[in-house]
Amino acid sequence: LAILKGALMYGQNPKKIVTRISKYTYGFDCYNPFDPIKHPERLKKVVGGKEKCDNIFDKIISVGEQVMLGQVIKRTYTPAYPEQTEADLPIFRSSNPNPKFTCDEEELITINV
């Protein structure tokens, strides 16, 4: 009944619903400095002469988190290589509130920046 009431309210006035609860945890795939205590050896990669952990799930929204309409979430990433001028940023989702690695989760889409 609550879902039907919410759908009717939204249909009559879309601005009435200003927050939503995230059904999934969303995040980007990125590199972090490799830490043998935290990261599995299989994900170690040498990038620009430095040991990195590949497939890190950089969480932007957690499952169950309230998200405001128009909310902006900012992230800053640095190039993996000095000569890098563009990057593909895969976006992942998970039902896990604290995923660690993207290789264990579902890829939704990749954006090129």
Side-chain angles (χ1 to χ4, degrees), residues 10 13 23 43-44 46 58 63 66 70 77 82 86 88 93 106:
Y10 183 76
N13 184 1
K23 186 174 178 179
L43 296 179
K44 182 165 69 171
V46 177
D58 184 25
V63 62
Q66 184 173 324
Y77 296 97
E86 63 179 40
D88 291 329
R93 77 174 181 186
E106 176 185 3

Side-chain angles (χ1 to χ4, degrees), residues 43-91:
L43 296 179
K44 182 165 69 171
K45 194 172 193 177
V46 177
V47 179
K50 296 179 182 175
E51 289 184 345
K52 302 283 186 173
C53 182
D54 196 9
N55 300 115
I56 295 290
F57 192 111
D58 184 25
K59 181 170 56 171
I60 54 174
I61 298 172
S62 292
V63 62
E65 185 177 334
Q66 184 173 324
V67 181
M68 301 290 294
L69 183 65
Q71 179 178 342
V72 175
I73 299 170
K74 293 184 179 186
R75 287 285 191 275
T76 301
Y77 296 97
T78 57
Y81 308 95
E83 65 279 358
Q84 185 176 12
T85 59
E86 63 179 40
D88 291 329
L89 289 174
I91 301 172

Side-chain angles (χ1 to χ4, degrees), residues 3-22:
I3 293 172
L4 179 59
K5 184 177 179 182
L8 288 171
M9 288 170 52
Y10 183 76
Q12 291 174 342
N13 184 1
K15 292 182 181 177
K16 193 151 190 120
I17 308 287
V18 294
T19 65
R20 294 182 184 246
I21 304 299
S22 181

